[in-house]
Amino acid sequence: MNNLTITSTNILPIENGIGGCVALAQVILNDAIKLTGLKLVENNGKRYITYPRNTSNKQKKSYFYPIDQEVADFICNRLWADYEAGLNA
């Protein structure tokens, strides 16, 4: 993961989101790839990120997602930190 950098994030807070969604997010990685449609979800005291899914098929697979827990935690922690910073700005 030493080569992965979050270049920037864009977070749009949502009021009264469905299923505990509190914000939508975009992430740019290494100034090279933009991930959009991520959701910040807060439900039953837990905070996590969901990735966009293809709901038109039976498997409802995500279009993209981290394949390593360390990367998943890295992205999740950064998005939640930026979300909190935006609320406190």
Side-chain angles (χ1 to χ4, degrees), residues 62-80:
S62 293
Y63 289 110
F64 55 84
Y65 51 90
I67 58 173
D68 178 284
Q69 189 61 47
E70 185 179 11
V71 173
D73 292 343
F74 176 68
I75 294 170
C76 184
N77 293 338
R78 170 68 184 270
L79 287 176
W80 278 106

Side-chain angles (χ1 to χ4, degrees), residues 6-57:
I6 296 176
T7 309
S8 68
T9 63
N10 184 13
I11 299 174
L12 176 65
I14 297 175
E15 291 185 29
N16 303 319
I18 296 172
C21 180
V22 298
L24 297 176
Q26 297 177 354
V27 175
I28 297 179
L29 301 173
N30 292 18
D31 280 325
I33 187 165
K34 183 177 191 177
L35 308 178
T36 63
L38 289 86
K39 294 179 183 177
L40 282 75
V41 179
E42 190 167 29
N43 208 348
N44 296 324
K46 295 182 182 179
R47 289 180 155 188
Y48 54 94
I49 303 296
T50 63
Y51 292 83
R53 294 178 180 253
N54 179 356
T55 58
S56 65
N57 65 33

